[in-house]
Amino acid sequence: MNRVRRGAGYLACAVGRRRFLAAGAACVGAAFGGPLTGCAGAAPRTTLASDRVVGLAAVRRLLVERTDPVAGRCRYVADTGARQVAQPVLVARRGEVFDAVIENALPQPTALHFHGLTLAEAADGAGFDPIAPGERKRVRFELLNRSGLYWFHPHPHGFTAEQIYGGLAGLLVVADEDDDALDAALRLAPANRLALALADVRVANGVLRPYAPTPEECLHGWYGNRALANGALEAQQTVAPGWVRLQLLNTCNARGLLVAFRDGESLVPFHLLGTDGGLLSAPRELERVFLHTGERVDLALNVTGRGAVAAVSLEFDPRHHMQGTASAHRHPARERYAPLAAATVCEGAPGVAATDFLPDGAELPLFGLRVVGAGGGAAPPLPARLAALAEAPAWPDAAVRRMRLDFDEQFGFVIDQSPYRSEEIAFSVDRGAREVWEIKNSPISMPHPMHLHGFGFRVLQRQGTFGPARRLATEAGGRLPTDLGVKDTVVIWPNETVRLAVDFALPGGAAFVGRQRYMFHCHNLEHEDGMMMRNYAVL
Ligand code: C2O
Ligand code: CU
Ligand code: CU
């Protein structure tokens, strides 16, 4: 059953400013706008090609609201006092302070999680303490992380997938001296630095469909058939010849992306500059890169001499090796609140036509770059060194913590055979402890992008990797090039064992005094809202 009023000819399109267009009309990305240098508040030097840039430190109030009850579309609005910006792209420099009131105007509880940042429990927004509908909460923190692309999104258990699919996923671009030096070395034109949140959505008959997963989709994940880049379908960005720097985030509910760039039939090589937690020590030349949900990549692409470049997710075998059926799990937290759109969530929603979505691993066009402007000179050489980043530490004497990812007939995917229990602390670690985590995914499984709150980590080794990832494992220890950077989210393929080095050092300062609770979970949002999450504490 289609709950969208087709006859009324609505096309819900989550561009920065909400707009309804007649059904059938193409909703082509107007979301990028022209380049903009100045920002409200402290003026970061980062020049992002977006008309929605707001300085993190300038935000006084962040409103979370539903804009379209038919399709369940939502947005963040940043209020600086001087202006209101819908779906803001926040920019900051290391050391800046965020101090704002989060106002929940949704009909559901929400939470504001800053994914990837080093935060105390009170500011992490992981959903231990969600904001009820109509309530507000003040959040204050100092930004301590390296330059890179981070993001913010809802985290109320049982509602996360629906709210992120509804459009609640914001970018936070952090700059520092390494970042400035890189832009200068690339001689980036003002239009050539882009930060893009990529999502897949379901569009049927020109109408954006609301979130209504079947029990089957609650097990595998909710997949769309079209891609949004910063909220726009078929986004096109005009860039100048020379280097283009792209910071990409996968905000899909469940879809893994194998990002590549096409010029006609051929793939355009590019350079990996950084990952979740900032720049690599040196760039790596690639032709394709996996970007699973929650992960980020920072890329440089030389477009000199090209007319147009199409960013795509290439076809790959997604390794969904599962048997057994899903039991429709219930979300007790959901029982008091209606869905964002007129549909039920994960509790026996009516089936959808298979044509409404593309399976995981199917080819999917993402966005386009149009190269316009004077020919210009050749792009300058890439710097050989990007940042001071040591090799991943071996820590032969570190304590090893082993975890298993499994499928459970009753609960779906779980960590260590345990469904999520909001009150439970699965384990505690001492502040400053150095641990090696060894996470093993069962052979009968799916790829799980596992995310750690509170701490970035390093990838030490992959074993038992098969499928499409094996071929990209060019680095020591069976690792992929993206494993060389600081990570907060790492995909673990079926049958694979991944070893991570985690340093549980917390910053000093009043905010971090006392026990801090964090979460470790799968960033496939249906798995996260299902049961694939655990709390842990740092003492
Ligand atoms: Cu991006 Cu716990 O999430
Ligand atoms: Cu997170
Ligand atoms: Cu998962």
Side-chain angles (χ1 to χ4, degrees):
M1 192 178 95
N2 182 1
R3 291 184 162 80
V4 177
R5 285 195 290 146
R6 277 193 181 142
Y10 277 98
L11 178 90
C13 177
V15 293
R17 292 168 292 276
R18 179 175 63 135
R19 52 182 61 195
F20 291 128
L21 302 177
C27 177
V28 175
F32 291 103
L36 184 116
T37 317
C39 302
R45 272 163 284 171
T46 314
T47 303
L48 277 178
S50 166
D51 57 357
R52 299 193 249 140
V53 172
V54 178
L56 178 80
V59 180
R60 292 285 152 267
R61 194 173 67 108
L62 192 73
L63 175 68
V64 194
E65 65 176 5
R66 181 171 64 176
T67 52
D68 175 0
V70 176
R73 304 309 294 174
C74 305
R75 65 179 183 179
Y76 289 115
V77 182
D79 182 355
T80 67
R83 62 192 187 114
Q84 281 86 43
V85 179
Q87 298 295 57
V89 174
L90 301 181
V91 296
R93 296 188 72 83
R94 234 170 143 166
E96 283 184 14
V97 170
F98 177 78
D99 187 352
V101 170
I102 317 305
E103 199 175 306
N104 181 12
L106 299 179
Q108 300 177 341
T110 196
L112 185 71
H113 172 57
F114 284 87
H115 179 130
L117 295 191
T118 302
L119 296 172
E121 176 186 327
D124 186 53
F128 289 115
D129 186 18
I131 311 169
E135 304 271 283
R136 44 184 70 200
K137 180 180 178 181
R138 184 171 165 195
V139 174
R140 189 182 183 286
F141 63 82
E142 183 186 348
L143 198 143
L144 301 168
N145 294 73
R146 305 169 79 218
S147 59
L149 179 63
Y150 301 88
W151 61 301
F152 52 99
H153 64 77
H155 218 296
H157 187 55
F159 303 89
T160 300
E162 182 185 17
Q163 291 182 13
I164 292 181
Y165 179 77
L168 295 175
L171 298 171
L172 167 60
V173 180
V174 178
D176 62 10
E177 270 110 67
D178 291 332
D179 187 80
D180 298 342
L182 174 59
D183 282 4
L186 297 176
R187 276 192 252 127
L188 277 189
N192 284 26
R193 179 162 175 178
L194 299 167
L196 301 176
L198 306 174
D200 63 338
V201 285
R202 264 181 213 192
V203 178
N205 299 330
V207 176
L208 203 148
R209 309 224 13 188
Y211 185 69
T214 61
E216 189 64 19
E217 288 167 330
C218 286
L219 182 64
H220 288 253
W222 167 259
Y223 298 92
N225 56 3
R226 305 281 299 280
L228 299 178
N230 285 3
L233 285 167
E234 289 162 24
Q236 290 290 330
Q237 175 69 27
T238 301
V239 295
W243 288 111
V244 175
R245 183 171 170 196
L246 287 165
Q247 288 177 291
L248 304 179
L249 157 69
N250 181 342
T251 71
C252 296
N253 282 46
R255 180 182 300 277
L257 302 174
L258 181 54
V259 175
F261 300 89
R262 281 220 180 99
D263 182 356
E265 288 305 298
S266 55
L267 291 185
V268 182
F270 57 90
H271 302 264
L272 180 70
L273 304 173
T275 59
D276 303 348
L279 295 170
L280 302 178
S281 59
R284 273 280 193 291
E285 186 169 347
L286 302 176
E287 272 193 343
R288 64 198 78 206
V289 65
F290 273 114
L291 185 64
H292 278 84
T293 56
E295 291 187 303
R296 289 86 72 204
V297 284
D298 195 339
L299 311 173
L301 184 71
N302 183 355
V303 297
T304 300
R306 301 186 187 275
V309 175
V312 294
S313 180
L314 299 174
E315 187 176 3
F316 65 95
D317 174 358
R319 294 280 167 186
H320 291 206
H321 280 192
M322 286 147 58
Q323 58 194 13
T325 42
S327 48
H329 47 254
R330 304 198 67 80
H331 292 282
R334 292 197 59 95
E335 273 154 24
R336 289 160 51 212
Y337 301 98
L340 291 173
T344 56
V345 176
C346 280
E347 289 173 10
V352 289
T355 50
D356 282 357
F357 69 94
L358 294 168
D360 196 16
E363 173 147 347
L364 181 70
L366 298 173
F367 61 91
L369 300 175
R370 216 180 303 109
V371 187
V372 174
L382 273 184
R385 188 176 164 285
L386 301 172
L389 180 66
E391 291 285 314
W395 292 345
D397 301 325
V400 178
R401 192 179 292 280
R402 293 187 173 81
M403 290 184 222
R404 285 192 51 102
L405 312 179
D406 282 297
F407 175 70
D408 178 283
E409 298 269 319
Q410 187 185 355
F411 297 110
F413 289 107
V414 289
I415 302 169
D416 284 341
Q417 318 285 347
S418 308
Y420 181 64
R421 295 186 192 95
S422 57
E423 300 309 316
E424 179 195 58
I425 301 293
F427 55 90
S428 298
V429 300
D430 290 325
R431 158 181 325 234
R434 291 171 161 185
E435 296 193 352
V436 169
W437 283 22
E438 190 177 290
I439 308 166
K440 182 165 178 38
N441 193 358
S442 106
I444 307 300
S445 190
M446 282 177 62
H448 296 294
M450 301 304 296
H451 170 53
L452 183 68
H453 286 218
F455 303 87
F457 53 80
R458 305 296 298 275
V459 180
L460 298 174
Q461 189 185 49
R462 289 181 184 271
Q463 279 178 309
T465 313
F466 55 43
R470 183 82 236 168
R471 272 176 285 129
L472 302 186
T474 52
E475 310 298 323
R479 293 176 302 166
L480 279 66
T482 40
D483 291 331
L484 298 176
V486 175
K487 297 288 293 169
D488 55 55
T489 308
V490 63
V491 71
I492 303 175
W493 295 85
N495 192 53
E496 200 178 36
T497 300
V498 175
R499 286 167 70 89
L500 311 174
V502 197
D503 182 346
F504 287 96
L506 279 174
F512 291 91
V513 169
R515 182 187 78 154
Q516 306 292 321
R517 287 178 303 169
Y518 297 107
M519 292 175 178
F520 178 61
H521 63 83
C522 181
H523 222 290
N524 175 318
L525 300 177
E526 282 69 37
H527 295 182
E528 173 180 346
D529 270 343
M531 288 294 163
M532 207 173 185
M533 182 150 80
R534 306 216 76 187
N535 302 328
Y536 74 99
V538 181
L539 305 177

